[in-house]
Amino acid sequence: MIAAAALALTACGGGGDGAPAATSESGVPLVQEGTITTCTHLPYKPFQFSEGGEIVGFDVDVVAEIAADLGVEQEIIDTPFEGIQTGEDLNTGKCDIAAAGMTITDVREEALDFSDPYFDASQALMVKAGSDIASLADLAGKRLGVQQATTGEIYAQENATDAELVQFEDLALLQTAVQTGQVDAAINDNGVLYDFANENPDVEVVAELDTGEQYGLGVKTGSTELLDAVNASLERIREDGTYDALYEKWFGTTPTS
């Protein structure tokens, strides 16, 4: 049940056409024998991040439970988020599953198959501590940082039209931009911004934007056996209390529903 964290940017041993090259003990097709290969994008703490040379986090532990049910280990590949959300990494056989704090959207569902939702999220606004910015309405003429290819960027494009949007490739760059004053505020998922603010008193989350988002795990379109196995594991950890324990481990509280 311990994730094997292989931090890499290269594809893992599947067929060149993206077809699974092996199966799990339960007969589910996988890219590599004895391994479920996970594509993610680091850092996205507390969902996935590097600590002490190992990739850890809530998503990592959730997929580790799926791996255990399949009788395999987990290998993790850090790859750009764009290749995850477009389904490219799944289609080319780089990985079996995408776990990247990824919101289920209609556009993404055209590119990959999602599991049942496993996490509820919304957008949030983070600023430097003591800032007079308290909402999107206060950002007229100011610089708002967004992470590229995310639902936060889309929300800002639609709802912060008076702000200058500044795009960052990953979460860490976005968060640092707030601390250093490169931007006046940043928008991203509430879980990651609250986690960062709790550890960095020089920033604070001033608003939550109720977007009603839900995260899903992604698999290649048509991977019915794997998707069924993923959903079965998600149902199992909900029922036996594992999900609540993992949630409390990474978020310091139990889920509200």
Side-chain angles (χ1 to χ4, degrees):
M1 296 174 67
I2 298 176
L7 183 59
L9 292 174
T10 57
C12 304
D17 60 357
T23 59
S24 67
E25 290 180 2
S26 59
V28 174
L30 298 172
V31 171
Q32 293 190 96
E33 187 73 35
T35 302
I36 186 168
T37 307
T38 303
C39 278
T40 194
H41 181 57
L42 303 176
Y44 209 67
K45 188 180 179 185
F47 294 92
Q48 50 270 328
F49 61 103
S50 183
E51 183 176 77
E54 182 181 7
I55 300 174
V56 298
F58 180 75
D59 281 359
V60 174
D61 284 354
V62 168
V63 179
E65 292 291 327
I66 297 167
D69 288 345
L70 290 173
V72 300
E73 294 186 337
Q74 178 183 189
E75 181 175 336
I76 301 172
I77 295 177
D78 179 25
T79 187
F81 187 68
E82 184 66 18
I84 294 174
Q85 71 155 358
T86 61
E88 179 182 356
D89 291 338
L90 297 165
N91 292 335
T92 58
K94 180 180 281 190
C95 50
D96 301 293
I97 190 168
M102 182 165 53
T103 298
I104 300 169
T105 69
D106 291 341
V107 172
R108 291 172 180 165
E109 284 186 312
E110 294 177 0
L112 49 86
D113 286 346
F114 276 107
S115 70
D116 295 334
Y118 72 96
F119 191 87
D120 295 332
S122 66
Q123 294 301 307
L125 193 66
M126 187 176 77
V127 301
K128 289 191 74 169
S131 170
D132 58 1
I133 296 170
S135 69
L136 290 181
D138 297 326
L139 285 165
K142 298 184 182 296
R143 292 164 61 86
L144 173 60
V146 299
Q147 183 180 349
Q148 67 183 35
T150 63
T151 51
E153 180 180 28
I154 294 171
Y155 188 90
Q157 290 169 344
E158 296 175 349
N159 297 278
T161 54
D162 293 331
E164 177 189 352
L165 301 189
V166 182
Q167 191 183 67
F168 294 90
E169 183 179 358
D170 62 42
L171 177 67
L173 293 173
L174 175 66
Q175 292 167 331
T176 300
V178 176
Q179 290 180 304
T180 59
Q182 296 177 60
V183 295
D184 299 289
I187 187 170
N188 209 297
D189 291 1
N190 57 344
V192 295
L193 293 189
Y194 276 120
D195 180 82
F196 188 76
N198 286 339
E199 296 184 355
N200 295 274
D202 57 339
V203 298
E204 59 182 332
V205 175
V206 293
E208 256 194 78
L209 311 165
D210 186 11
T211 52
E213 297 177 49
Q214 292 183 306
Y215 292 169
L217 302 170
V219 301
K220 182 180 177 181
T221 300
S223 301
T224 305
E225 292 174 272
L226 178 55
L227 187 61
D228 288 346
V230 168
N231 284 333
S233 292
L234 292 177
E235 182 177 5
R236 191 265 300 169
I237 65 174
R238 291 277 193 184
E239 291 179 349
D240 68 11
T242 300
Y243 181 89
D244 286 359
L246 294 179
Y247 196 103
E248 186 168 13
K249 172 184 176 181
W250 292 108
F251 300 99
T253 184
T254 54
T256 56
S257 60

